[in-house]
Amino acid sequence: MGITDVFKTKQFKNDIERLTSENEYLNSLLTPEMKTAASINLEIQRLNSEKESVITAIEDSNKKLGKLEEKIASLDREIASKKDYVIFLDDEMLYQDFGLYTPVYDLMNSESYKDKLTVIREQQKAMLKNNSAAYFPKNFTYNNSLSQGKKLVADNVKQILRAFNNECEAIIDKVKFNNVESIRKRIIKSCDDLNKLNSKMQISITPAYLDLKLREMNLCYEYAMKKQEEKEDQKRIREEQREAQKLQREIEEARKSSEKEKSHYKNALHRIEIQLQSASGTERTILEEKYSEIKQQLASIEEELKQLDYREANQRAGYVYVISNIGSFGEDVYKIGMTRRLDPMDRIDELGDASVPFVFDVHAMIFSDDAPALESALHRAFDDKKVNMINTRREFFHATLEEIEEVVKKNFDKTVEFTKVPNAEQYRESQMLRRKLGVGELTRHEPADITECPLTSTPANSVSPVSKTPTLDPSKTYLKTKWGVYEMPKQYTIYLIKGPRPDLQLIAPL
């Protein structure tokens, strides 16, 4: 350190002491208000500095948020684009989310579909034969050899087409009403995947060949549907033939019986005529009464024979019936059908065989000279209320009896008597027996429709209060479930729903 530095250091010390004393003097001159203002200014400067740092942090966060939003939007777009490639194979998922298939060809019969399918497959064979089923390079070389390159390309083309044909054949056989669209996507995805795998060699399946495969899928499905439809038609025709044969046998048996009775009464009438020639007085009066009675019987038999001739000649005469089975199908579900049998109850008894738990109840039995026309008119009127919207042979409709009666009056000019309340004898007796046994009546409830249970005023979606320290009465019976312990009522209704019992008082949870 030099001499000049020593003098400067002393000077700096003197200046510091002088400035310190001046600062202390000036501070002594400050009033308390001035000191407060100074501290406030310092606080304002600090807060402004903090504000600037917060604003900078907010701007950084907004930039990060913008980047995250852009990333989310990009991911959403990627998800949306990849959804098209998702193929659902779970049957439950398919049953819950499938659309109605719209026929592409809608041909007359299964033979037409079969012929069309043959044409499509022949077109595929032709494309394979003339090498138009796939795109491929023509001047590809391998090991500097054009012939080896052509052979390599031909092998790869054969491989991609064989793989595509095998997969299409496997999945087209599985097509059904609930997976048509997913099978279509699967075929397209298979084509795209194979094209990507062979993109380096510039080999790909042509759109025309893919279109033929998609058309084959549509034809195969519609062919199967048409065959099932024809099977149902054949079943209906066989049933009509059986009904006609039964009617013919009934007519022949009824005519044979009527002719036998007619012959019997004619012989009796002839004997009375002979006896009347020599009878007199009271005996003659008795014979004349018998004669008149036999004549009436003969007239009745003649009328029966005329009716039999009419039924045999008129193929459209028959009975249209309206029946229900509340024990099997519930209320407001009616079957509207037609039979040409002489005794229509024979047909009703056949319908109430072992396939349903209870017999049918008849609400109306209408004889018509054109029974098929009346039946068709009723079916058309309730077309939107069919229980089975696909199979028209299932003649059950969800309607009220008043609606059916109104349509019958519009299409039938004679008086028809309707039975409003069905007997349902076996069903009602079964319900009474269940109550007697203490098992409760069988009732059908849709879970979404249950708003309040009949045995308690507690709403179905609420939970009964639970005592913290429950005491079980040994004299009572309790219902133990995985949701808790419930007090068993004397009679209760069985609800076919999963979950806690909303109609019982919860004693203790499990």
Side-chain angles (χ1 to χ4, degrees), residues 68-295:
L68 289 174
E69 288 178 347
E70 289 179 2
K71 189 173 182 180
I72 290 171
S74 175
L75 290 173
D76 287 338
R77 288 192 296 269
E78 187 176 354
I79 290 170
S81 64
K82 290 187 175 181
K83 275 184 178 179
D84 296 334
Y85 294 96
V86 176
I87 298 171
F88 297 105
L89 299 178
D90 189 346
D91 283 344
E92 288 299 323
M93 188 180 295
L94 289 169
Y95 278 116
Q96 293 174 11
D97 188 20
F98 71 88
L100 289 175
Y101 177 80
T102 302
V104 178
Y105 297 95
D106 199 15
L107 302 179
M108 293 295 294
N109 50 50
S110 60
E111 287 299 321
S112 300
Y113 278 104
K114 195 173 180 180
D115 294 340
K116 185 71 174 177
L117 195 55
T118 302
V119 172
I120 292 292
R121 286 172 176 166
E122 289 296 327
Q123 290 177 353
Q124 293 177 22
K125 291 178 182 178
M127 291 189 71
L128 293 172
K129 188 175 181 180
N130 59 27
N131 295 325
S132 61
Y135 296 127
F136 55 90
K138 301 292 179 66
N139 298 319
F140 187 83
T141 59
Y142 180 68
N143 291 334
N144 295 322
S145 172
L146 184 61
S147 60
Q148 291 184 17
K150 287 183 177 180
K151 185 178 185 305
L152 180 63
V153 169
D155 291 342
N156 279 273
V157 169
K158 186 182 294 184
Q159 184 181 36
I160 187 176
L161 290 174
R162 179 175 293 178
F164 183 60
N165 288 335
N166 289 340
E167 185 161 359
C168 288
E169 184 178 351
I171 61 179
I172 286 176
D173 288 340
K174 298 178 182 179
V175 66
K176 51 186 178 179
F177 76 99
N178 65 318
N179 66 358
V180 177
E181 193 58 34
S182 65
I183 294 295
R184 180 191 305 278
K185 290 180 179 179
R186 191 170 170 182
I187 292 174
I188 295 173
K189 186 176 184 300
S190 174
C191 179
D192 292 340
D193 291 345
L194 289 170
N195 288 344
K196 288 178 182 177
L197 290 173
N198 291 269
S199 60
K200 290 184 178 180
M201 291 195 65
Q202 300 178 358
I203 298 173
S204 62
I205 299 168
T206 63
Y209 192 74
L210 172 63
D211 181 63
L212 285 177
K213 284 295 182 184
L214 294 175
R215 290 166 65 184
E216 180 184 356
M217 183 207 69
N218 289 328
L219 279 169
C220 286
Y221 175 60
E222 292 185 31
Y223 173 58
M225 285 198 306
K226 183 62 70 173
K227 283 183 68 177
Q228 182 63 30
E229 183 181 330
E230 291 176 350
K231 185 178 179 181
E232 291 287 340
D233 289 340
Q234 291 296 324
K235 186 176 180 180
R236 175 183 56 79
I237 292 171
R238 288 195 299 270
E239 186 176 340
E240 290 177 354
Q241 290 174 347
R242 285 195 297 269
E243 283 286 300
Q245 291 171 0
K246 288 179 181 178
L247 174 64
Q248 189 61 36
R249 286 196 298 269
E250 289 176 357
I251 289 175
E252 291 174 357
E253 291 173 1
R255 180 178 282 114
K256 185 177 180 180
S257 177
S258 296
E259 290 288 354
K260 186 176 180 180
E261 287 186 20
K262 180 180 177 182
S263 176
H264 172 73
Y265 283 120
K266 279 188 173 181
N267 292 333
L269 192 66
H270 181 66
R271 288 194 298 270
I272 291 174
E273 288 175 349
I274 294 174
Q275 292 175 7
L276 281 173
Q277 293 177 1
S278 58
S280 61
T282 305
E283 183 183 3
R284 185 177 182 85
T285 302
I286 294 172
L287 289 174
E288 287 176 351
E289 289 178 358
K290 287 185 178 180
Y291 184 85
S292 177
E293 184 179 344
I294 292 173
K295 289 285 286 184

Side-chain angles (χ1 to χ4, degrees), residues 19 26 101 172 180 212 225 281 346 392-393 399 471 497 504:
L19 291 172
L26 291 174
Y101 177 80
I172 286 176
V180 177
L212 285 177
M225 285 198 306
D346 290 342
T392 57
R393 294 184 64 253
T471 55
I497 59 176
L504 299 179

Side-chain angles (χ1 to χ4, degrees), residues 409-421:
K409 288 179 180 179
K410 290 180 180 178
N411 293 274
F412 193 69
D413 56 358
K414 296 179 182 178
T415 303
V416 179
E417 183 178 353
F418 275 80
T419 302
K420 301 293 184 180
V421 181

